[in-house]
Amino acid sequence: MSGLEELAIEGTTTGGQGLALVLSGGGARAAYQVGCLRALARHRPNLRIPILTGVSAGAINAACLAAHPDGLRDTVERLSDLWTHLEVDRVFCVDPWSLARSMVRWAFRLVSGGGPLAPEVRALVDTTPLRKLLTGALGADSRGVIPGVARNLEEGRLRSFTVITSNFDTGQTVIWIEGQNAQCWERPNRRSRVTTTTVDHIMASSALPLFFPAVQLETMWHGDGGIRLTNPLSPAIHLGADRVLAISTRFARSREEADRSQLRGYPPPLQIASQLLNAIFLDALDQDALRIERLNLLLRDIPPEKRHGLRVVDVEVLRPSQDLGKLAAQFEPRLPKSFRYLTRSLGSRETESPDFLSLVMFQGDYCRRVMDLGEADAEAQIDRLLPLVDGG
């Protein structure tokens, strides 16, 4: 089944009933989404978005929006404060002993030949600080449940909230839904589940492969939801959206920029990892939006009574006007010394645009700069965005 055919089928799942916000991944780059929402909140301070979908770091922002009872302006102020005061050691352990112990365990694992004495390795870093941060920011209880989501659903401020993970046991993408009268669906290598959202779901969705540890949900291990998510806009469409605002964290290079080399010498590991992560996590959103645009063109030329239940879905995608990888390189000297030593050993200074570095640049000064960029970009396009959110 082609992507276009699948989108057409998904459009028939339920009637269009509102606005959806789709927040993609990107690690620390997700601060850009907060800046975009800050601009939108200036014009629509009491806006409520009934359908929220988040994947990877975007799941953190979406969860904050879903959990707090305030209007958009007040909730975005909370998010801005969270990202502004962020530091690397509030996301993962960066003390020399923790990083050295991880490196030793990985090295011993690689040379052990899979023998019985090989140590278990789960990730390069320990994300215990992130769990503590999210528990407080999302108001989670002792079980990790986020009660604000259920409360907003009950009081009509929210219709559905989805978090997307990758099941490492089965290779499937899993869409976890908490919502009113939520119905599940399945596609090849993709399934949905009704759930009560917990911090574990958010931790799993934002677990960068190998870098952050996987999280056990129910009986299986899950990680970053963007790994096999070929249609990132489809959950929102399944849940009834007829208007979708998607915020990407990938800079769209011009043809000239795309053809220009960014390396000095042979590609270092960090540059190769950057290309892989961009392909896995960020390319799909642009491709999905293009497919919907083409489908909309076809549907608008067909009388409604002959569309066989398909519907037009208006989509707007916001993306950075500057390269966030290049921007991260400017802030690299401010990283904690031990972590900076690790990233430089992987080649962070051998490329002009270290995209991987921008994923883990959880520094308040970098995040503030990225938020300011998002706010300026959204403000520059506000005349296009307001008709979408208003339904006009």
Side-chain angles (χ1 to χ4, degrees):
M1 182 181 294
S2 71
L4 190 58
E5 290 169 336
E6 186 176 350
L7 274 171
I9 291 173
E10 286 169 348
T12 67
T13 302
T14 183
Q17 300 172 33
L19 174 68
L21 177 66
V22 176
L23 300 179
S24 67
R29 286 190 259 184
Y32 178 82
Q33 299 167 348
V34 180
C36 293
L37 294 173
R38 200 160 60 187
L40 184 59
R42 184 181 302 114
H43 296 269
R44 297 293 184 268
N46 298 315
L47 175 69
R48 296 198 179 278
I49 303 172
I51 301 171
L52 296 170
T53 297
V55 60
S56 192
I60 297 174
N61 291 334
C64 286
L65 293 171
H68 292 296
D70 306 318
L72 184 63
R73 180 179 59 191
D74 292 338
T75 304
V76 170
E77 285 181 1
R78 291 172 180 259
L79 269 174
S80 297
D81 185 67
L82 176 68
W83 285 94
T84 296
H85 295 94
L86 202 60
E87 298 295 338
V88 174
D89 58 7
R90 297 186 70 193
V91 179
F92 50 85
C93 297
V94 292
D95 59 283
W97 168 246
S98 178
L99 292 176
R101 180 177 57 188
S102 178
M103 294 299 101
V104 170
R105 290 177 68 87
W106 273 97
F108 190 70
R109 176 81 180 188
L110 290 173
V111 301
S112 68
L117 298 180
E120 181 184 61
V121 291
R122 295 193 173 187
L124 286 173
V125 296
D126 177 0
T127 53
T128 300
L130 177 60
R131 179 178 295 277
K132 180 179 179 180
L133 176 67
L134 292 180
T135 298
L138 300 175
D141 62 20
S142 59
R143 299 170 299 156
V145 173
I146 307 171
V149 177
R151 186 164 52 246
N152 283 335
L153 287 167
E154 292 171 2
E155 297 178 3
R157 290 187 287 262
L158 180 68
R159 200 168 87 234
S160 59
F161 170 54
T162 65
V163 177
I164 303 167
T165 66
S166 296
N167 187 326
F168 288 151
D169 290 61
T170 66
Q172 294 175 316
T173 294
V174 183
I175 298 98
W176 303 90
I177 312 167
E178 186 169 2
Q180 302 171 351
N181 303 315
Q183 297 181 355
C184 294
W185 68 90
E186 291 192 21
R187 292 289 183 268
N189 294 318
R190 187 167 30 146
R191 61 175 303 183
S192 60
R193 295 286 302 274
V194 175
T195 191
T196 297
T197 309
T198 68
V199 171
D200 278 345
H201 291 93
I202 311 303
M203 290 287 294
S205 183
S206 56
L208 287 170
L210 301 179
F211 197 76
F212 287 1
V215 177
Q216 192 170 25
L217 299 176
E218 298 177 347
T219 61
M220 297 186 183
W221 294 94
H222 293 250
D224 198 299
I227 293 176
R228 300 190 70 176
L229 185 62
T230 55
N231 297 100
L233 300 177
S234 66
I237 297 173
H238 269 295
L239 294 168
D242 52 22
R243 292 168 287 131
V244 178
L245 172 60
I247 306 180
S248 173
T249 60
R250 181 175 183 180
F251 169 66
R253 294 185 174 92
S254 66
R255 183 181 297 273
E256 180 182 352
E257 290 171 323
D259 289 340
R260 187 170 62 243
S261 174
Q262 302 171 13
L263 290 173
R264 293 181 289 274
Y266 186 82
L270 190 135
Q271 177 69 5
I272 296 173
S274 297
Q275 300 299 327
L276 289 173
L277 292 174
N278 278 337
I280 293 172
F281 300 126
L282 301 180
D283 288 356
L285 179 59
D286 291 335
Q287 296 164 3
D288 206 12
L290 179 60
R291 284 194 292 264
I292 292 178
E293 182 181 346
R294 289 175 175 173
L295 181 59
N296 285 341
L297 289 174
L298 293 174
L299 291 176
R300 288 191 174 102
D301 287 338
I302 299 174
E305 65 274 10
K306 294 185 179 181
R307 293 178 182 175
H308 302 286
L310 304 180
R311 70 178 189 274
V312 172
V313 179
D314 293 324
V315 177
E316 293 288 353
V317 180
L318 283 171
R319 56 176 57 84
S321 60
Q322 296 180 28
D323 188 330
L324 301 186
K326 286 185 177 180
L327 189 61
Q330 300 174 21
F331 290 85
E332 185 265 355
R334 306 179 193 182
L335 285 170
K337 185 176 181 180
S338 56
F339 185 62
R340 187 172 69 240
Y341 183 84
L342 175 62
T343 59
R344 288 182 177 180
S345 69
L346 295 174
S348 63
R349 307 187 79 179
E350 298 170 39
T351 174
E352 295 179 4
S353 180
D355 282 347
F356 182 83
L357 189 62
S358 69
L359 296 177
V360 297
M361 184 63 71
F362 296 103
Q363 291 282 108
D365 47 6
Y366 173 74
C367 293
R368 284 192 294 272
R369 180 68 185 87
V370 172
M371 280 193 289
D372 290 344
L373 176 64
E375 187 172 7
D377 286 350
E379 189 64 44
Q381 302 178 63
I382 201 68
D383 290 340
R384 183 164 59 89
L385 300 180
L386 292 182
L388 179 81
V389 302
D390 292 339

